[in-house]
Amino acid sequence: MEETLGKKKAVRKSKKPARQRISWSLIKSQKQLIWMSVPLTLYIILFAYVPVWGWTMAFQNYKPARSFSQQDWVGFKHFKFLFTDDDFLRVLRNTIGMSLINLVLGFVTAIVLALLLNEIKKIVWKRTVQTISYLPHFLSWVIVTGIVATSLASDGIVNDVLMKLHLIKEPILWLSEGKYFWGVVGASHVWKEVGWNTIIYLAAMASIDPALYEAAEIDGASRYKKMLYVTLPGIKATIVILLIMSIGHILDAGFEVQYLLGNGLVVDWAETVDIFVLKYGIAQGNYSLATAGGIFKTVVSVTMLLLANQTAKRLGEERLL
């Protein structure tokens, strides 16, 4: 038995392709590709890695008028302040809550819409619906929040429709009560991005072998069964990859929509980490605190991305690395 297992392991190892060693001859043979990558590499170094030097401000009482050697080093003072400040813990709760709502609603609605569009046989109707659904993506959040605020006003279309359907007796002040704010933000994100998010799923569905649908139809599968047992498994890898990438942005709940729709009545529910950094860091000249908040977001994002990728690896799913 042990000999058989040993032979199987040897066969598996022999199937792995030999890794090509990097040599000068290999570099010379691919010098055109290397030169083509130089501008992109310089761009990444200049705009992604050089600014990391600014992270040193988080460990200082940074004063713009002083040189680097004249700054006062305070260690983790600003990080300790963040984790013990009630306002930061509140905005952290808001950020995670709205981010999870956007993540769940965004994924579910995009996948459902892509499945429905994939079932439309008339190309003209399909393209028309798809175009209408992703047009809001090209609108700025200033315009979108204006539309949302007008629609949710006491005399807006939402209250009018609900009252005519006898679902409510009097207008609801959607933007004046904190319990509605997260839902409003989630619905706004869905309306603006659902059509755009379906594009990649439709592209993945187009690569599914039509023979699978024919075989399922011969077996008597309905359209819903084909969506469940053919289409969804066919785009499973795409869903997992996008989910991993989205988990890496768990603290990116947004800034514009909360800043523009928020007001004094819902401030306890509307402020996010980005607004906190702007309000208590940059606006008050406390650049060290603002930098500490940015570092916290980056560390959490990278950690969540690696954990999601490792979890997908253990479950045998597609992964980034």
Side-chain angles (χ1 to χ4, degrees):
M1 186 67 178
E2 294 180 356
E3 293 180 359
T4 305
L5 292 174
K7 290 180 180 179
K8 288 183 178 179
K9 291 181 180 179
V11 171
R12 289 177 183 173
K13 290 181 180 180
S14 63
K15 289 182 179 180
K16 292 183 179 180
R19 189 173 182 179
Q20 190 175 12
R21 295 182 178 180
I22 299 177
S23 60
W24 284 111
S25 59
L26 179 62
I27 294 175
K28 290 180 180 179
S29 65
Q30 298 181 354
K31 60 182 179 180
Q32 292 86 356
L33 297 175
I34 294 175
W35 281 113
M36 288 174 61
S37 65
V38 168
L40 181 60
T41 304
L42 293 177
Y43 174 84
I44 294 174
I45 293 174
L46 181 61
F47 293 101
Y49 289 98
V50 172
V52 173
W53 172 258
W55 280 12
T56 56
M57 288 191 298
F59 307 97
Q60 305 168 342
N61 275 329
Y62 180 76
K63 303 296 180 183
R66 298 180 182 178
S67 64
F68 180 78
S69 60
Q70 295 175 332
Q71 301 294 337
D72 296 328
W73 293 84
V74 295
F76 292 93
K77 172 185 174 181
H78 300 292
F79 292 96
K80 292 178 181 178
F81 172 78
L82 287 178
F83 298 135
T84 56
D85 183 61
D86 292 336
D87 289 334
F88 182 77
L89 297 178
R90 172 176 53 81
V91 301
L92 182 60
R93 178 208 63 183
N94 296 341
T95 302
I96 295 176
M98 283 185 276
S99 182
L100 290 176
I101 290 174
N102 294 338
L103 178 64
V104 174
L105 289 180
F107 258 86
V108 173
T109 55
I111 293 172
V112 171
L113 180 59
L115 289 171
L116 296 177
L117 288 174
N118 190 56
E119 293 298 316
I120 298 178
K121 303 305 179 185
K122 293 184 178 180
I123 302 299
V124 176
W125 175 246
K126 178 179 179 179
R127 290 178 178 175
T128 301
V129 174
Q130 187 178 1
T131 302
I132 293 173
S133 66
Y134 70 63
L135 278 178
H137 170 79
F138 299 100
L139 299 177
S140 69
W141 273 113
V142 176
I143 298 174
V144 172
T145 52
I147 296 173
V148 171
T150 302
S151 301
L152 296 179
S154 58
D155 57 348
I157 186 173
V158 174
N159 280 316
D160 286 344
V161 171
L162 293 177
M163 291 180 68
K164 288 181 179 180
L165 293 175
H166 302 289
L167 296 177
I168 58 175
K169 295 182 179 179
E170 57 183 14
I172 297 176
L173 302 177
W174 298 99
L175 297 178
S176 299
E177 297 187 37
K179 61 182 180 180
Y180 298 125
F181 192 82
W182 291 5
V184 170
V185 171
S188 302
H189 272 278
V190 169
W191 178 75
K192 187 176 186 296
E193 302 295 345
V194 63
W196 185 259
N197 292 337
T198 59
I199 294 176
I200 191 168
Y201 294 117
L202 289 172
M205 292 176 187
S207 64
I208 299 175
D209 189 355
L212 297 175
Y213 291 102
E214 296 174 1
E217 189 171 356
I218 292 173
D219 290 338
S222 62
R223 299 181 73 174
Y224 296 105
K225 292 290 184 180
K226 285 187 283 186
M227 283 193 290
L228 183 61
Y229 295 107
V230 179
T231 307
L232 282 177
I235 64 173
K236 182 181 178 182
T238 303
I239 295 174
V240 172
I241 292 296
L242 292 178
L243 180 60
I244 293 173
M245 296 175 66
S246 298
I247 290 176
H249 295 278
I250 195 66
L251 290 184
D252 291 330
F255 170 80
E256 297 94 340
V257 60
Q258 290 87 354
Y259 188 78
L260 295 170
L261 289 179
N263 53 69
L265 297 174
V266 295
V267 65
D268 290 338
W269 298 86
E271 285 189 346
T272 61
V273 173
D274 293 330
I275 296 177
F276 178 88
V277 168
L278 174 64
K279 185 176 179 180
Y280 298 100
I282 299 175
Q284 297 183 9
N286 193 347
Y287 303 108
S288 297
L289 182 64
T291 306
I295 293 176
F296 170 74
K297 280 189 59 178
T298 301
V299 171
V300 171
S301 297
V302 173
T303 303
M304 293 300 296
L305 180 65
L306 294 176
L307 287 175
N309 191 72
Q310 189 64 24
T311 302
K313 180 180 179 181
R314 291 183 176 181
L315 295 176
E317 303 292 344
E318 294 291 333
R319 57 188 186 276
L320 294 176
L321 303 174

